[in-house]
Amino acid sequence: MTATEPAASDAMAADASPQPAPGATPPRTPLVARAAAELVGTAALVAIVVGSGIQATGLTEDVGLQLLANSTATVFGLGVLIALLGPVSGAHFNPAVTLAEWWTARRGGAGVDARELAVYVPSQIAGAIAGAILADAMFGEPLVKWSTHDRSAGNLLLGEVVATAGLILLIFGLARTDRLRFAPVAVASYIGAAYWFTSSTSFANPAVTIGRAFTDTFAGIAPGSVPAFIGMQLIGAVLGLALVAVIFPRGKANAG
């Protein structure tokens, strides 16, 4: 036996050890970390929306400028949160997005399972409520004061259908075309635009809607308006998924 034979045997043994399959999905972040990311991310998002609204109304009485300040802060804040927490939990911050992902996973696509759904949604709702309370605390407002801002008009409900359908179409369209790397900019930009082109100023998020009921400030929504808003958001999510199926059919190459 030559001196090189043991080394060769060692190399063969090393090559025989279990190796990950090419292209295999890496281990996922622990569920507790993902839940924490969803809770903190949703809380921060609502704090940004509510806090910037309070700040804006304190600086000017011009409603247009108030909305501009509110939407600008939301665009930048949401983009940062998606970039930061997206690699951990997917940065849903939105039960409509989580439900849509769960539905696509049930039909053979990638997404959360039932257990993850059951953890994500409560985390998002708890985070949204905490974010509203935090914003009120920072600006010396009552920590919990139900909003009196009625948003029950039919045109506002239509706006929520449109806003949510567009959001789902954007997110899942990016996923189908392998462009999710653009999500921080694309999703934040869409929400900023939807503040202005929808009558409802684009809540497009059941958790955020619930959280905003806890603050009687610029961004608030009366509790009585919440169920209809959430119902329209869920309808919008279904329509958005239908549009994804039509525009981005599975198995078709999408160049770009």
Side-chain angles (χ1 to χ4, degrees), residues 112-182:
V112 299
D113 59 26
R115 176 169 173 260
E116 293 165 326
L117 174 71
V119 172
Y120 268 45
V121 172
S123 298
Q124 293 158 354
I125 294 172
I129 295 170
I133 294 172
L134 176 61
D136 282 340
M138 287 192 292
F139 286 92
E141 300 287 337
L143 296 186
V144 175
K145 185 177 181 182
W146 298 116
S147 175
T148 56
H149 193 162
D150 180 74
R151 298 178 188 263
S152 60
N155 63 302
L156 302 183
L157 299 179
L158 176 61
E160 280 302 288
V161 174
V162 172
T164 311
L167 178 62
I168 297 298
L169 174 61
L170 171 61
I171 293 172
F172 287 84
L174 290 174
R176 288 280 178 94
T177 55
D178 195 26
R179 293 186 177 94
L180 276 175
R181 62 190 179 278
F182 299 122

Side-chain angles (χ1 to χ4, degrees), residues 19-208:
Q19 300 293 324
T25 302
R28 300 186 73 179
T29 306
L31 184 55
V32 65
R34 284 180 277 146
E38 287 297 301
L39 188 151
V40 171
T42 312
L45 175 59
V46 174
I48 290 166
V49 172
V50 174
S52 62
I54 297 172
Q55 184 80 281
T57 55
L59 294 173
T60 179
E61 295 182 0
D62 187 317
V63 178
L65 288 177
Q66 292 171 356
L67 186 60
L68 178 62
N70 195 208
S71 60
T72 301
T74 302
V75 167
F76 286 117
L78 180 57
V80 168
L81 290 171
I82 295 173
L84 175 65
L85 299 175
V88 179
S89 68
H92 297 186
F93 313 146
N94 187 336
V97 173
T98 303
L99 283 164
E101 192 173 289
W102 169 75
W103 177 255
T104 59
R106 288 182 71 250
R107 299 178 64 82
V112 299
D113 59 26
R115 176 169 173 260
E116 293 165 326
L117 174 71
V119 172
Y120 268 45
V121 172
S123 298
Q124 293 158 354
I125 294 172
I129 295 170
I133 294 172
L134 176 61
D136 282 340
M138 287 192 292
F139 286 92
E141 300 287 337
L143 296 186
V144 175
K145 185 177 181 182
W146 298 116
S147 175
T148 56
H149 193 162
D150 180 74
R151 298 178 188 263
S152 60
N155 63 302
L156 302 183
L157 299 179
L158 176 61
E160 280 302 288
V161 174
V162 172
T164 311
L167 178 62
I168 297 298
L169 174 61
L170 171 61
I171 293 172
F172 287 84
L174 290 174
R176 288 280 178 94
T177 55
D178 195 26
R179 293 186 177 94
L180 276 175
R181 62 190 179 278
F182 299 122
V185 172
V187 173
S189 297
Y190 172 79
I191 291 298
Y195 259 83
W196 292 91
F197 77 75
T198 65
S199 56
S200 63
T201 66
S202 183
F203 286 46
N205 185 328
V208 168

